[in-house]
Amino acid sequence: MTARRIVVIGAASATCRAVVDRLARSAEDLDLTLCDVRPDLVELWARRLPVGRVTVRHLDLRDRRNLLSVIDGAALVVLGAGPYPHTAGYVRTACIEARVAYLDFADDAVSTQSALTLDPKAREAGVPLFIGCGASPGLNSMLVVDATRELDSVDRIDMCWMVGDEHADAGPTAHEILAHVDGPATDSPSDTRPESPHPAAITMPRRYPETGHVHIVGRPDPWRQDGPSRPASAPAIPEIKVLTRAEAPDHASRPLRLSLLARVTGSRDGKPAVVTRRTPASNAQSHSLRSEASLTATSCSAFIMLALDQGCGQAGVLAPEDWADPEAFYTALERAGADPAEIVESVI
């Protein structure tokens, strides 16, 4: 079996470490080139990975010659170094030039819109740029696609994420997500708004152009009663049960709570219909739902394996809903270590 080489950029981050760990355990035919501006931080934990399958390299994205040299001949380049509006441009354009497939788990509108401007060049070069391959967008987008398959037409898409704010060490991703709560509720018809804080409102109308309404809300659990993240900042979708601070006064001792939900409104057999998909409630024994980094890493690992198996023959800028099949993605999640009971459930 010929090994396929994956280049991971930003490998020192917690999420990238989790992605690499899942790939190393789940796919024995991969060689991993782990790159970071601080390779010493990568070498500390890379020693426990399989010998002979891992190479650690220094990489400064501003050194284009070195960047092109590192990614040359790779099967896939995974960008985990942020912030994406500052880093993705270097790597995406280099991948187009080198004709190497690209994947990221970006969750911001600026990076998403910047990627879409590269679609003509990527198509001309025959290169796929897989964007938003994390939890939300990513797994959340797969829930939408899964739900739409039960409908004849789609009129409205609601997407929701919930993340706990009770852990002081939740990390920068948690704070970036929380900032989304304080932005305007993402309410996007087909004319996407540049100021939208969530990229799915930009990409979903490409997949479902008949949809007149894409609504995305996010919230912390429990609600903060002071500061900018107050209850009025984003309405909750009723299907997700959350606890208030009064119900859980000792919230610092509670496990991190995560949940993703997609609700699609349309018609079936000529009658109005609503289909809902969500991730199960997290708990201390969860694998992919025990932390934000874990949820993102498990989802990203599944998208990586799916891209290698099925997606790298495509071209252009591709959001998850553009190319990934939900059932194949759920299978890839299991390969990445997710328990089947953690992946998706329907709401009747």
Side-chain angles (χ1 to χ4, degrees):
M1 180 181 297
T2 302
R4 296 171 291 181
R5 187 165 70 92
I6 306 298
V7 176
V8 180
I9 299 175
S13 71
T15 301
C16 277
R17 291 201 305 268
V19 169
V20 169
D21 185 63
R22 283 158 174 73
L23 291 176
R25 288 187 287 108
S26 305
E28 297 181 355
D29 64 332
L30 298 182
D31 284 340
L32 302 168
T33 300
L34 310 181
C35 304
D36 202 275
V37 71
R38 288 286 307 276
D40 54 307
L41 299 180
V42 180
E43 290 170 350
L44 292 175
W45 60 269
R47 295 168 187 165
R48 61 185 175 82
L49 298 173
V51 176
R53 291 178 51 200
V54 176
T55 303
V56 178
R57 296 189 58 166
H58 171 270
L59 179 61
D60 184 335
L61 296 180
R62 295 168 296 183
D63 185 345
R64 187 170 183 80
R65 180 177 297 178
N66 187 29
L67 174 59
L68 288 169
S69 173
V70 169
I71 68 174
D72 182 50
L76 182 68
V77 172
V78 179
L79 177 61
Y84 281 106
H86 297 159
T87 61
Y90 295 111
V91 184
R92 290 167 180 163
T93 55
C95 284
I96 291 175
E97 181 177 340
R99 288 179 164 75
V100 174
Y102 165 96
L103 184 145
D104 67 36
F105 46 90
D107 63 353
D108 66 277
V110 174
S111 173
T112 298
Q113 290 181 313
S114 177
L116 291 175
T117 65
L118 296 174
D119 186 66
K121 291 183 178 179
R123 290 181 180 276
E124 182 180 358
V127 173
L129 303 181
F130 302 109
I131 62 172
C133 295
S136 182
L139 172 54
N140 211 352
S141 304
M142 290 293 93
L143 300 181
V144 171
V145 178
D146 191 358
T148 61
R149 296 187 301 183
E150 293 191 21
L151 298 172
D152 299 325
S153 66
V154 176
D155 300 322
R156 175 184 172 117
I157 295 172
D158 291 291
M159 299 172 67
C160 178
W161 52 260
M162 179 183 73
V163 61
D165 70 344
E166 59 270 26
H167 289 269
D169 60 349
T173 301
H175 298 293
E176 291 175 10
I177 290 176
L178 185 57
H180 286 178
V181 178
D182 297 320
T186 302
D187 223 0
S188 186
S190 55
D191 56 331
T192 36
R193 300 181 303 174
E195 69 272 18
S196 163
H198 198 282
I202 298 169
T203 63
M204 276 291 168
R206 301 195 319 161
R207 177 67 171 80
Y208 302 102
E210 74 279 14
T211 301
H213 203 73
V214 177
H215 185 65
I216 301 170
V217 294
R219 58 162 295 172
D221 168 46
W223 274 120
R224 291 184 176 181
Q225 300 303 313
D226 54 3
S229 300
R230 53 195 180 277
S233 64
I237 289 182
E239 284 85 351
I240 294 183
K241 173 68 174 75
V242 297
L243 298 178
T244 65
R245 184 170 293 238
E247 291 174 307
D250 189 21
H251 62 277
S253 64
R254 293 171 51 224
L256 187 68
R257 291 171 61 85
L258 296 168
S259 190
L260 301 174
L261 179 145
R263 182 173 62 189
V264 182
T265 304
S267 65
R268 181 172 52 220
D269 298 328
K271 298 179 181 179
V274 178
V275 181
T276 303
R277 296 284 188 274
R278 69 183 178 191
T279 58
S282 59
N283 58 63
Q285 288 73 45
S286 296
H287 176 273
S288 57
L289 296 174
R290 69 175 180 265
S291 71
E292 296 155 55
S294 178
L295 179 61
T296 299
T298 305
S299 300
C300 185
S301 301
F303 279 117
I304 289 171
M305 290 186 282
L306 196 59
L308 291 171
D309 292 343
Q310 303 179 12
C312 287
Q314 303 188 54
V317 177
L318 302 165
E321 65 271 15
D322 295 326
W323 67 280
D325 174 74
E327 291 299 333
F329 176 69
Y330 299 154
T331 299
L333 281 174
E334 293 186 50
R335 289 176 58 195
D339 188 301
E342 294 180 5
I343 295 175
V344 62
E345 60 185 18
S346 301
V347 178
I348 306 300

